Amino acid sequence: MKRPMSIALLVLFALIAAACGGDDDDDSSAEPTAESSEEAATDDAPADDAAADDSADDDAADDAAGDDASGDDSTDEAAAEDASDDAAATGDSGPADDSLEPVRIGLLNQENDVVGSFPEYRIGTEGAVAYVNAELGGIGGHPVELVTCVQGGVEPAQECAQQLATDDLVSLINGVNIWTFAFDFYGTMGETPVIGGLPLFPSDYNQANARYFNGGSISVYSAMARFAAEELGAQKVSVLVNSNPAADAAVAQGLVPIFEQFGVEYTTIDVPLPLTDAVPPVSQAAADESDIVMLLAAQNECIPVATAANQLGIPPEKMLYSATCAAAEVYAEVGELIVGSWMARGGFVPEDPWAPQEVKDLLDEFDVLVETYAPEAPDAAFTGLAWATFLDLHDLYEEVGVENLSDPANIFAVSDDGQTRGRIGGYGWACVYADIGLQSVCQGDNLFVQIVDADGNSAPPPNDGAFVNGLELLSAQ
């Protein structure tokens, strides 16, 4: 099964989905259960519970240390053993050494909540941890221990944060969490740094003890505004967006400044959740006679919006979809209706046939790894985002050195050194935006493509204008 995920940080896929408060779960309307509330007070999500969540929600070389000149077999064997020991100690390859003290990394994630449930982020992280421990030698040879706390509301989220802050963690991954804005999340975490996850709110963007390998919703929204204005030549834009604290803030701080810079007239139209009838909001967009209709929403909203746009006679060329719409389910239902439309990307995906071959190879490798280490992972964007986030975290901690991870200052000294890091297939990340009050967000690049067939394949970008760094745009304000 081909997963429509980038080997990079899938910024566009995940951030807009989270900002809009929706997901792909069929049971998202179910009330949180007492069991889910109790789960918030546990360290690790049990494997059986994880499988139950998946079912309910329907939705993850060895450097041989040189040649021996003597040719003596016993010496060769000893050298091989030394090389193996060195590899285990540095985390170059092979399994982690379970006799070493584990590197404890926390994960806070939202599940079993009517507002949004995202078990795929946890499953993707668990798979990445399993892969790192089995094949990359853990971190510096030490196994990684993932300490998970699942929350489904304001009070459980606060309880999770309080618990994780006292769990002797190297750092915490802030997964997909809508409720952290409702209390002093970073103050609660205290000296435990937050490294990786999803920055959704203004409070996430400029924290001394937090770094994210992406630019957050603010970067996505500003980039989409610039692309619509400058590359598509829009003078009037209708923005279909679910109104919630994260999206409202990203609109105000990311979208609006860029539209004002380019003199674009815009209207924001609320997309209610759950979206049972897309005709009313899309009708308003049609009545506005805008040059571009922009959808900033979760995957669940893509099909009804595309259907309504077709029914109301809005040409596909006037539709600009968030990257959450780049999903097999969407193409299967409305692929013919979105041919000619524009879509955001957070990195290369299998539907980009023009991508470099090395990237295609990595996408294939990613498929195999996810099937191996997270076979229960749903075909969802957050699975890939979680996986890529943890690999970036692994690489960062290898560079910092396992012996130095006990002091967060050592982590920030490396993350903030101005260098660009990251894996092939993405744009890389660099924490260089402190001067504009965005020290916690470290990657602002986005890509925009035109869909050319019902399977979601894209045409090569016509020019460099398809690549937009949303944080750089805000830096220039």
Side-chain angles (χ1 to χ4, degrees):
M1 175 181 64
K2 278 288 184 182
R3 299 171 184 272
M5 306 172 190
S6 162
I7 203 71
L9 296 177
L10 298 183
V11 179
L12 299 178
F13 278 77
L15 289 172
I16 296 177
C20 296
D23 73 321
D24 299 333
D25 303 333
D26 290 342
D27 283 349
S28 61
S29 61
E31 288 295 329
T33 64
E35 182 179 352
S36 69
S37 298
E38 292 172 4
E39 190 176 11
T42 65
D43 271 355
D44 297 294
D48 290 344
D49 288 348
D53 286 343
D54 297 341
S55 175
D57 291 318
D58 250 0
D59 289 289
D62 187 56
D63 193 352
D67 295 330
D68 183 80
S70 70
D72 182 80
D73 289 344
S74 61
T75 307
D76 286 345
E77 182 177 351
E81 289 177 356
D82 289 343
S84 178
D85 291 343
D86 290 343
T90 59
D92 286 342
S93 64
D97 185 348
D98 289 335
S99 69
L100 298 177
E101 182 180 358
V103 176
R104 289 168 56 85
I105 296 174
L107 171 65
L108 174 64
N109 197 53
Q110 183 167 319
E111 302 181 29
N112 306 310
D113 191 329
V114 294
V115 175
S117 181
F118 312 97
E120 61 269 31
Y121 194 97
R122 170 177 51 79
I123 296 169
T125 304
E126 291 168 347
V129 169
Y131 164 61
V132 164
N133 283 338
E135 297 194 31
L136 300 186
I139 295 175
H142 293 245
V144 175
E145 179 183 349
L146 188 66
V147 182
T148 300
C149 196
V150 171
Q151 58 86 11
V154 176
E155 184 175 342
Q158 191 165 11
E159 291 174 356
C160 267
Q162 292 169 345
Q163 173 191 316
L164 290 164
T166 61
D167 267 341
D168 191 26
L169 305 174
V170 168
S171 63
L172 174 76
I173 299 171
N174 180 20
V176 188
N177 294 293
I178 295 172
W179 298 119
T180 50
F181 83 95
F183 63 96
D184 184 6
F185 170 60
Y186 294 98
T188 302
M189 292 311 303
E191 296 182 0
T192 301
V194 177
I195 309 293
L198 292 178
L200 300 178
F201 303 99
S203 59
D204 296 324
Y205 300 150
N206 196 34
Q207 294 289 337
N209 68 331
R211 298 294 183 272
Y212 294 94
F213 304 125
N214 54 71
S217 304
I218 190 173
S219 167
V220 175
Y221 285 25
S222 60
M224 292 187 77
R226 206 282 314 178
F227 182 75
E230 193 164 25
E231 298 305 316
L232 301 184
Q235 297 180 331
K236 186 177 183 180
V237 177
S238 293
V239 182
L240 299 170
V241 59
N242 170 248
S243 180
N244 64 72
D248 293 346
V251 167
Q253 298 181 25
L255 201 75
V256 172
I258 305 304
F259 276 158
E260 290 180 346
Q261 175 187 343
F262 285 95
V264 174
E265 179 184 352
Y266 66 93
T267 303
T268 57
I269 302 169
D270 184 40
V271 176
L273 294 177
L275 184 59
T276 56
D277 183 5
V279 171
V282 178
S283 292
Q284 184 177 340
D288 288 343
E289 297 184 347
S290 296
D291 301 312
I292 291 293
V293 177
M294 181 186 297
L295 175 63
L296 304 176
Q299 181 177 317
N300 284 347
E301 285 69 70
C302 299
I303 292 174
V305 166
T307 301
N310 175 259
Q311 292 173 346
L312 295 167
I314 300 177
E317 293 78 9
K318 288 192 173 185
M319 299 296 297
L320 173 56
Y321 291 98
S322 61
T324 51
C325 297
E329 295 88 344
V330 175
Y331 301 141
E333 290 289 330
V334 294
E336 294 287 351
L337 306 183
I338 63 175
V339 173
S341 63
W342 300 90
M343 191 171 290
R345 290 273 199 263
F348 297 111
V349 298
E351 288 78 26
D352 298 325
W354 45 272
Q357 186 59 48
E358 62 180 348
V359 172
K360 295 179 183 179
D361 292 342
L362 280 174
L363 289 170
D364 290 338
E365 178 184 341
F366 174 73
D367 274 342
V368 173
L369 290 174
V370 172
E371 293 291 347
T372 301
Y373 292 101
E376 76 278 23
D379 186 7
F382 285 133
T383 305
L385 175 66
W387 185 285
T389 294
F390 192 80
L391 290 187
D392 277 329
L393 186 146
H394 164 269
D395 293 351
L396 172 63
Y397 286 1
E398 284 284 342
E399 186 174 350
V400 173
V402 68
E403 70 279 5
N404 299 317
L405 293 177
S406 60
D407 185 353
N410 295 325
I411 298 174
F412 295 130
V414 176
S415 67
D416 296 356
D417 65 3
Q419 295 187 41
T420 298
R421 296 171 171 85
R423 292 171 178 261
I424 296 173
Y427 305 105
W429 60 272
C431 302
V432 294
Y433 301 101
D435 58 339
I436 58 170
L438 299 173
Q439 68 173 319
S440 298
V441 290
C442 303
Q443 200 275 101
D445 289 295
N446 303 272
L447 166 65
F448 299 92
V449 298
Q450 189 169 30
I451 304 302
V452 297
D453 64 31
D455 294 325
N457 289 306
S458 67
N463 55 56
D464 290 342
F467 298 88
V468 185
N469 186 309
L471 297 182
E472 293 293 342
L473 292 174
L474 298 174
S475 297
Q477 291 292 302

